Amino acid sequence: MTTTVYLVRHAEPNYHNHDDFTRELTEQGLKDSLKVTAYLKDKGIDKVYSSPFRRAHDTVKDLAHHLNLPITLEDDFRERRIDSVWIEDFNHFAQKQWQDFSYKLSDGESLSEVQYRNISALEKIIAENPNKNLVIGSHGTALSTIVNHYQPDFDYSAFSQIKHLFPFIVKLTFSENICQSISFYNILKEPPHETSLL
């Protein structure tokens, strides 16, 4: 039996809102979230999950509405906590974290911690949904740590190529809890561009 998971990186957020939980999508982000619906609406989606953060939830909201499915919020799919204060030099911080998965600021999370809780949540819903097609509203760093778990050579260089892309989709296929394939989809291109990652 094959379980397919579509990780959806949220659409463009409003960075003027520094609150991680309530940061909303921009007008462009709301428009681009419709491309998520257009791409996934005919993929036989059985369930829709999301990080509790608004930007992730709102990116898959139109899809869930179109499919008449509820969105199940899963706290462990939330984005990595950087610190209790806003970080201006995100690129330098991100590079240090990717070089050392244990590195974190005083009030933040390491990538190791982010990866552990995201993988734990993912394995749980895979076990609960054999032979289903699942969507997860997620975040750039959080879903990148998932990809890294199954493909360890996915590093900072690979992350840098996608960190400014909002939204995108990563498709993972599993036989039980063994990842069989990983594909990246740039849905902002016409037609959507696919790259095999595994």
Side-chain angles (χ1 to χ4, degrees), residues 19-53:
D19 182 74
D20 225 15
F21 187 80
T22 64
R23 188 174 306 132
E24 70 278 17
L25 299 181
T26 63
E27 183 176 342
Q28 184 61 49
L30 289 169
K31 291 179 181 177
D32 288 341
S33 71
L34 302 182
K35 297 180 180 181
V36 173
T37 302
Y39 186 76
L40 292 175
K41 65 182 181 181
D42 61 350
K43 299 296 190 290
I45 303 302
D46 296 292
K47 290 187 180 180
V48 179
Y49 294 84
S50 178
S51 154
F53 290 4

Side-chain angles (χ1 to χ4, degrees), residues 24-157:
E24 70 278 17
L25 299 181
T26 63
E27 183 176 342
Q28 184 61 49
L30 289 169
K31 291 179 181 177
D32 288 341
S33 71
L34 302 182
K35 297 180 180 181
V36 173
T37 302
Y39 186 76
L40 292 175
K41 65 182 181 181
D42 61 350
K43 299 296 190 290
I45 303 302
D46 296 292
K47 290 187 180 180
V48 179
Y49 294 84
S50 178
S51 154
F53 290 4
R54 181 178 174 183
R55 60 193 182 277
H57 174 275
D58 286 359
T59 299
V60 297
K61 182 170 66 174
D62 183 73
L63 173 69
H65 177 76
H66 180 85
L67 299 175
N68 196 29
L69 292 172
I71 299 176
T72 301
L73 298 182
E74 173 52 64
D75 189 56
D76 282 340
F77 287 134
R78 68 190 184 277
E79 181 59 300
R80 172 260 289 110
R81 178 175 173 83
I82 296 177
D83 202 354
S84 55
V85 295
W86 184 257
I87 301 297
E88 294 296 340
D89 191 355
F90 173 79
N91 291 336
H92 177 69
F93 168 75
Q95 186 172 11
K96 289 185 72 172
Q97 284 213 305
W98 278 94
Q99 290 171 345
D100 177 4
F101 262 43
S102 67
Y103 174 76
K104 61 181 178 179
L105 299 179
S106 59
D107 197 25
E109 288 181 289
S110 69
L111 292 192
S112 179
E113 291 169 328
V114 176
Q115 185 180 66
Y116 177 80
R117 62 173 167 77
N118 272 269
I119 291 297
S120 296
L122 178 61
E123 290 181 344
K124 177 177 179 288
I125 68 169
I126 290 172
E128 292 172 348
N129 296 281
N131 206 32
K132 300 291 186 181
N133 298 316
L134 313 174
V135 167
I136 301 172
S138 186
H139 304 268
T141 298
L143 72 80
S144 291
T145 66
I146 293 175
V147 173
N148 171 268
H149 175 79
Y150 298 110
Q151 184 177 333
D153 64 353
F154 186 93
D155 56 10
Y156 178 72
S157 176

Side-chain angles (χ1 to χ4, degrees), residues 179-195:
C179 186
Q180 302 292 330
S181 68
I182 305 176
S183 299
F184 169 86
Y185 296 89
N186 182 347
I187 60 172
L188 298 179
K189 289 189 174 183
E190 293 292 343
H193 179 70
E194 176 185 357
T195 304

